[in-house]
Amino acid sequence: STRQLISRNMDIAYGDTIDSTAKRELCRGVFASMMLNFCETIQIAKISADKLLEMSVIEGEENMTAALKCNRGVVGICSHMGNFPRLQTILIRKGFPVNYLARDPSGIYLARFIKKLIGSVNVPVISRLDVRQAIKEALKWLNNKGILCFYIDQHSGNGVEVDFFNKKVFSPVGAAAFARKYDCPVVGLFTYRMENGKHKIIIEGPYLLQRTENSAEDIKANTALFMKRVEHYVREHPEQWFSWMHKRFR
């Protein structure tokens, strides 16, 4: 079950550093956050741009502005944390040219619902269903000086092995590979719900990336850096990280 998967992931991540009562409480927090996200997300098309921005607190806009001034397109790293669908919408409303790569949801009805919802708020998305076409669209977006976002916090069998919660995990390399190949600056885009109900968005970077003659080592090192930033926010707000429901640790 989903609850068992969450518990298993927490056992691997935390070990004996937190007790079973704390893990159960954390598990309940994950489900509560998920339901709150769902209710907010299905209402998002009915919320005006001004109201949406009023419900958000953005930190680090100057970091995004600095990255965009490089005029080479920007790679953004994201995680499935907080109300991450709202993150994309808010950045669009702020005038940032954001797009992201996404795997189509399993299930035809869910896929239709998500497509309709995204369309209603004019958030662009590049489907990963056709990999060759996705790469073509992603490169075009970067060439047009846009921001291309990658969600990097879930398992990738084709990824590289990096540290996460002091465990070895395989993480996707798309963000690091695109950044290196096309010499793009990289920013971190993280969000979480604050106690007052507003959504905090943090824009980090541009990160100082490793760049040597060994591209494979550079990609691994930079992916490790990105995952360290993901871990930082997961440790701060674990109840808002939804990849507990994914087979993150294998």
Side-chain angles (χ1 to χ4, degrees):
S1 69
T2 301
R3 187 178 294 275
Q4 288 173 327
L5 179 57
I6 294 172
S7 297
R8 176 184 175 275
N9 280 329
M10 288 179 180
D11 285 340
I12 295 171
Y14 290 110
D16 296 328
T17 59
I18 63 174
D19 61 28
S20 58
T21 301
K23 288 174 186 171
R24 283 196 298 272
E25 193 67 30
L26 183 51
C27 187
R28 282 194 288 268
V30 172
F31 281 107
S33 295
M34 180 182 67
M35 291 305 299
L36 189 53
N37 268 13
F38 179 76
C39 293
E40 287 179 338
T41 301
I42 60 176
Q43 293 290 324
I44 199 166
K46 300 177 182 178
I47 302 173
S48 69
D50 288 343
K51 184 65 175 176
L52 197 63
L53 294 175
E54 185 184 310
M55 295 162 65
S56 311
V57 177
I58 304 177
E59 177 184 309
E61 276 189 71
E62 68 279 4
N63 298 326
M64 185 76 92
T65 303
L68 287 167
K69 283 181 179 177
C70 294
N71 286 319
R72 295 191 298 275
V74 176
V75 167
I77 59 165
C78 308
S79 66
H80 296 85
M81 184 171 185
N83 194 325
F84 57 91
R86 183 172 285 210
L87 166 67
Q88 310 291 147
T89 309
I90 291 168
L91 292 175
I92 291 288
R93 297 292 181 268
K94 288 293 292 184
F96 290 120
V98 175
N99 204 337
Y100 71 106
L101 286 152
R103 184 186 296 113
D104 289 0
S106 57
I108 186 170
Y109 296 110
L110 179 59
R112 284 176 183 170
F113 171 75
I114 296 295
K115 185 176 181 179
K116 184 178 180 180
L117 185 65
I118 290 171
S120 70
V121 290
N122 298 315
V123 173
V125 58
I126 298 172
S127 171
R128 289 166 48 188
L129 190 61
D130 183 333
V131 176
R132 186 172 296 179
Q133 181 63 24
I135 292 173
K136 184 178 178 181
E137 290 182 34
L139 183 53
K140 182 180 179 181
W141 192 264
L142 287 176
N143 286 338
N144 288 331
K145 314 297 187 292
I147 303 156
L148 182 65
C149 298
F150 294 80
Y151 281 82
I152 66 166
D153 57 325
Q154 295 186 347
H155 174 81
S156 173
N158 297 320
V160 293
E161 195 175 49
V162 298
D163 288 330
F164 187 65
F165 276 82
N166 299 315
K167 303 291 186 296
K168 295 294 183 184
V169 299
F170 282 93
S171 295
V173 299
F178 264 82
R180 192 186 191 285
K181 186 169 184 178
Y182 302 111
D183 195 24
C184 300
V186 180
V187 296
L189 302 170
F190 301 101
T191 185
Y192 59 88
R193 185 180 291 100
M194 299 188 294
E195 288 186 5
N196 63 6
K198 290 189 175 185
H199 296 271
K200 181 73 171 282
I201 292 175
I202 299 174
I203 305 173
E204 297 187 337
Y207 295 124
L208 182 62
L209 303 179
Q210 177 173 303
R211 189 176 183 87
T212 67
E213 293 181 357
N214 189 326
S215 61
E217 284 301 315
D218 291 348
I219 288 169
K220 182 172 183 176
N222 293 331
T223 300
L225 166 66
F226 303 158
M227 286 301 294
K228 281 295 180 188
R229 298 314 301 151
V230 170
E231 181 180 338
H232 169 77
Y233 290 102
V234 175
R235 286 188 180 275
E236 284 196 341
H237 306 280
E239 77 289 350
Q240 296 188 45
W241 187 52
F242 300 105
S243 288
W244 291 120
M245 302 184 216
H246 171 80
K247 292 182 181 178
R248 171 67 278 194
F249 301 96
R250 307 200 181 195

